[in-house]
Amino acid sequence: MTYLVTGAAGFIGNHVALALASIGERVIGIDSLTDYYDPALKQARLDRLSGFESFEFHHMDIADPEAVSDLFKSTRPDYVINLAAQAGVRHSLSHPQDYLTSNLSGFLNILEACRHYPVRHLLYASTSSVYGANTAQPFLESHTADHPLTFYAASKRANEMMAHAYSHLFKIPTSGLRFFTVYGPWGRPDMAYFKFAKAIFEGTPIDIYNQGDMYRDFTYIDDIVDGIVKLCDVIPAPNASWDSGHPDPGSSGVGPYEVYNIGNSQVTPLLEFIDTLEKSIGLEAKRNLLPMQMGDV
């Protein structure tokens, strides 16, 4: 089988590509190597895959429709795991166009390629942020997710709706994966645990919004990868019990479509998380407690 992994130089994409290549699968990795954070880290991740003959890398942008189509035509992937996206909640406040280009136009190109060069299964990254203003917990796929609070979350919710339309119209099996705060080695330097650890080592204050009254469902990268790899062969089918009068947002009665939460189902208070960091590092953090700011959701 051939697996196409977009965002292969990214945090999650690189771990997924490595897991698949390690078991002998043919992996086609693509990435645009943007400078949202240091491209040297992305190249270092790719270097981890250099020893696998079954892995090949293409430096390209999923926002380029001709490049995406040509790659699908030449490689004919069986599975597509779309993890390429403009990440980050705060960045979407100042650079919304980046999310339009990568998360929306780019994903449309992936869908179109899957339409013209049929695949067994398209899996794509969504986010727990789609739940937005929904306060009913624990979050369930059957909950509505129609009130995102950032453009990043809105772009990911749009991906789910786009996938549903293509699953219905062209019978493309699609699975949306709502990740919950992924952490682990080779992670993004803009994520809280890296920023906090760096500040503790340097003795600079940590900005803690909403006076620290925040919670996260942290999920270790290996668990995310395990979930993605196992779901590849869980091919969606129309839900026979789907009721159009009371529609289940997490499945569909008109197409092979499914949405999954992938998290550890155990929230951690932010201040407890910082306490744990302090103990592991052996230094005390300087805490700067601040009110809630836009984007801290």
Side-chain angles (χ1 to χ4, degrees):
M1 294 295 177
T2 297
Y3 293 77
L4 175 64
V5 179
T6 74
F11 175 32
I12 300 176
N14 185 248
H15 280 272
V16 169
L18 188 63
L20 291 169
S22 297
I23 59 176
E25 301 289 1
R26 181 189 181 210
V27 181
I28 312 297
I30 66 175
D31 203 292
S32 62
L33 300 174
T34 66
D35 60 359
Y36 170 62
Y37 57 84
D38 190 354
L41 172 57
K42 300 178 182 182
Q43 185 58 55
R45 293 188 186 123
L46 286 177
D47 290 344
R48 302 201 300 156
L49 289 156
S50 61
F52 293 95
E53 294 183 359
S54 62
F55 176 79
E56 63 181 81
F57 177 69
H58 296 259
H59 184 185
M60 56 173 285
D61 193 335
I62 63 170
D64 182 340
E66 291 185 2
V68 171
S69 180
D70 289 346
L71 185 66
F72 270 71
K73 183 178 180 179
S74 63
T75 62
R76 296 300 177 103
D78 300 289
Y79 300 91
V80 177
I81 305 173
N82 185 58
L83 301 169
Q86 176 58 58
V89 171
R90 286 186 174 278
H91 188 70
S92 69
L93 302 177
S94 56
H95 297 80
Q97 192 70 34
D98 293 350
Y99 297 77
L100 176 66
T101 301
S102 180
N103 299 9
L104 298 177
S105 295
F107 188 59
L108 176 61
N109 294 335
I110 295 294
L111 288 169
E112 275 289 286
C114 291
R115 170 189 176 185
H116 294 292
Y117 304 99
V119 299
R120 289 171 57 87
H121 194 181
L122 165 63
L123 302 95
Y124 60 94
S126 186
T127 174
S128 59
S129 295
V130 299
Y131 290 108
N134 174 20
T135 59
Q137 296 188 8
F139 294 135
L140 301 174
E141 295 91 340
S142 57
H143 290 171
T144 58
D146 296 332
H147 299 89
L149 298 177
T150 66
F151 188 60
Y152 165 68
S155 72
K156 289 299 188 176
R157 180 59 177 152
N159 285 173
E160 296 177 358
M161 297 294 91
M162 293 161 70
H164 183 271
Y166 271 68
S167 291
H168 164 57
L169 292 170
F170 309 112
K171 308 310 175 188
I172 302 170
T174 66
S175 291
L177 313 177
R178 294 173 177 171
F179 299 138
F180 284 73
T181 314
V182 189
Y183 75 99
W186 296 91
R188 297 201 330 259
D190 63 316
M191 299 189 74
Y193 58 98
F194 276 110
K195 292 169 67 176
F196 288 177
K198 183 175 185 291
I200 292 172
F201 275 117
E202 295 177 350
T204 56
I206 294 174
D207 288 337
I208 304 173
Y209 297 101
N210 202 37
Q211 308 298 320
D213 186 19
M214 300 176 71
Y215 301 82
R216 287 291 183 272
D217 186 348
F218 291 97
T219 315
Y220 191 62
I221 182 62
D222 289 357
D223 296 320
I224 292 290
V225 172
D226 187 52
I228 293 172
V229 172
K230 287 180 176 177
L231 281 171
C232 283
D233 285 323
V234 182
I235 310 297
N239 181 358
S241 61
W242 195 81
D243 180 358
S244 61
H246 300 86
D248 171 16
S251 64
S252 174
V254 296
Y257 169 89
E258 197 76 39
V259 171
Y260 296 93
N261 288 337
I262 303 186
N264 76 3
S265 299
Q266 181 177 340
V267 296
T268 301
L270 181 60
L271 294 180
E272 180 181 316
F273 168 69
I274 295 173
D275 290 342
T276 302
L277 265 182
E278 290 176 330
K279 290 177 183 177
S280 63
I281 294 173
L283 296 171
E284 186 173 334
K286 297 179 180 178
R287 306 185 185 198
N288 186 21
L289 298 178
L290 300 169
M292 179 72 83
Q293 287 194 0
M294 184 168 53
D296 296 309
V297 293

